[in-house]
């Protein structure tokens, strides 16, 4: 079908070129007919030629119209196919993401450090550098070296910013992140925006950017 479509487009271009050439001949003939000293028989020839070319142009325009209709139908058909495929991929993506979130909740409940992190706003615990390093090790094991890959890909990020991204990765809420890192709620949002602007300015969410990195595993 694609080859036929290309052939149709080529024919349309040829027809349009012929139409333009015919219209130019018709115009030249009309100018010649306007001259007073033109021979009668030549005038008759010019008139006949114009009539033939006008008929030819009508046929060519009709063929162009039909080819354009086929082309538009083809585009519409494949547009709908693309939309259906896109919707299916979107549904599969959401199902996969939700499944990962459920598995993550199960992992957090079974890991003392992650559970400790999750309950940080209630327990008011202070976390040491060793705790945070252990947390990064857990993330690397869970997500195939995610923290290390993040550091390699975005060398400008600080250790605290790497930790912040990893906390987002496991769906920690702003109040949990604030408690774990010992910062205010306002600073949680400011740091998130600062990291996003540094790694990939634009409308994409930092969470989505981190999820894309997971797909690169």
């Amino acid at each position: 079908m694609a080859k036929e479509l290309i052939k149709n487009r080529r024919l349309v271009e040829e027809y349009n070129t012929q139409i333009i050439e015919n219209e130019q001949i018709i115009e030249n003939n009309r100018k010649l007919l306007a001259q007073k000293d033109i021979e009668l028989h030549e005038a008759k020839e010019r008139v006949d030629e114009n009539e033939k070319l006008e008929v030819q142009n009508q046929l060519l325009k009709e063929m162009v119209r039909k080819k354009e209709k086929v082309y538009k139908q083809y585009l519409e058909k494949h547009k709908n196919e693309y939309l259906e495929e896109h919707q299916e991929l979107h549904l599969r993506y959401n199902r996969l993401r939700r499944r990962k979130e459920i598995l993550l909740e199960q992992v957090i409940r079974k890991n003392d450090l992650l559970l400790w992190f999750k309950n940080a706003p209630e327990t008011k615990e202070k976390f040491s550098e060793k705790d945070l390093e252990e947390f990064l090790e857990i993330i690397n094991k869970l997500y195939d070296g995610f923290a290390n890959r993040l550091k390699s890909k975005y060398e400008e990020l600080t250790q605290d910013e790497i930790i912040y991204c990893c906390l987002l990765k496991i769906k920690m809420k702003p109040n949990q992140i604030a408690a774990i890192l010992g910062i205010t709620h306002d600073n949680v949002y400011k740091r998130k925006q600062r990291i996003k602007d540094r790694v990939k300015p634009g409308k994409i969410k930092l969470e989505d950017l981190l999820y894309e990195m997971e797909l690169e595993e």
Side-chain angles (χ1 to χ4, degrees):
M1 185 63 186
K3 289 183 179 179
E4 184 65 25
L5 184 65
I6 293 172
K7 182 180 178 181
N8 284 347
R9 295 302 298 171
R10 189 179 295 115
L11 286 173
V12 167
E13 292 173 2
E14 292 176 0
Y15 294 158
N16 284 328
T17 300
Q18 187 63 52
I19 289 170
I20 293 171
E21 291 176 357
N22 289 350
E23 288 176 346
Q24 185 63 48
I25 294 172
I26 291 170
E27 182 61 26
N28 290 338
N29 287 342
R30 284 173 179 164
K31 290 178 181 178
L32 289 172
L33 287 170
Q35 297 176 8
K36 293 181 180 179
D37 58 348
I38 191 169
E39 296 289 342
L40 183 59
H41 71 278
E42 185 179 351
K44 177 82 168 53
E45 290 177 358
R46 298 293 182 182
V47 170
D48 290 344
E49 184 180 16
N50 276 8
E51 289 177 351
K52 290 178 182 179
L53 290 174
E54 286 175 351
V55 170
Q56 185 182 31
N57 273 6
Q58 289 300 321
L59 292 173
L60 288 172
K61 288 177 180 178
E62 180 63 20
M63 292 175 73
V64 167
R65 187 188 67 78
K66 291 180 179 179
K67 298 294 183 183
E68 291 287 359
K69 183 178 179 181
V70 171
Y71 178 69
K72 289 178 181 178
Q73 289 174 340
Y74 175 86
L75 290 180
E76 189 64 27
K77 176 184 176 182
H78 286 269
K79 175 185 174 183
N80 292 335
E81 289 177 356
Y82 169 79
L83 289 175
E84 290 174 3
E85 182 179 355
H86 177 75
Q87 290 171 353
E88 176 61 25
L89 288 174
H90 186 67
L91 289 173
R92 289 171 59 188
Y93 167 85
N94 286 336
R95 286 196 295 267
L96 177 61
R97 197 165 186 172
R98 180 55 187 155
R99 183 181 177 188
K100 284 180 174 289
E101 288 174 358
I102 293 172
L103 292 174
L104 177 61
E105 282 296 322
Q106 294 174 352
V107 169
I108 290 176
R109 285 197 296 269
K110 293 179 180 180
N111 185 282
D112 292 339
L113 181 62
L114 295 182
L115 190 59
W116 190 21
F117 272 25
K118 185 176 181 180
N119 296 328
E122 290 77 30
T123 62
K124 308 296 183 184
E125 293 282 354
K126 299 296 181 182
F127 300 99
S128 66
E129 289 294 324
K130 184 178 180 182
D131 295 327
L132 296 175
E133 288 176 3
E134 183 180 347
F135 167 66
L136 291 181
E137 290 177 5
I138 293 172
I139 294 299
N140 279 326
K141 291 178 181 178
L142 282 176
Y143 297 104
D144 191 26
F146 177 81
N148 292 338
R149 288 188 288 114
L150 189 63
K151 187 173 183 179
S152 297
K153 187 170 184 177
Y154 302 108
E155 296 179 356
E156 65 273 22
L157 294 181
T158 65
Q159 183 78 347
D160 283 347
E161 289 170 337
I162 296 291
I163 294 171
Y164 184 100
C165 290
C166 291
L167 290 170
L168 276 183
K169 182 70 177 170
I170 61 170
K171 309 296 182 184
M172 288 292 175
K173 297 177 181 178
N175 65 326
Q176 294 170 322
I177 295 175
I180 293 166
L181 298 180
I183 59 178
T184 65
H185 281 184
D186 284 344
N187 280 334
V188 169
Y189 294 106
K190 288 178 181 178
R191 184 172 296 188
K192 180 179 180 180
Q193 186 61 43
R194 185 168 64 250
I195 294 172
K196 190 184 81 67
D197 289 342
R198 290 172 69 183
V199 299
K200 192 170 184 178
K203 295 183 179 181
I204 187 172
K205 294 181 179 180
L206 183 57
E207 292 90 340
D208 291 335
L209 179 63
L210 298 176
Y211 188 74
E212 285 180 2
M213 279 196 63
E214 183 179 345
L215 298 179
E216 296 172 2
E217 293 175 8

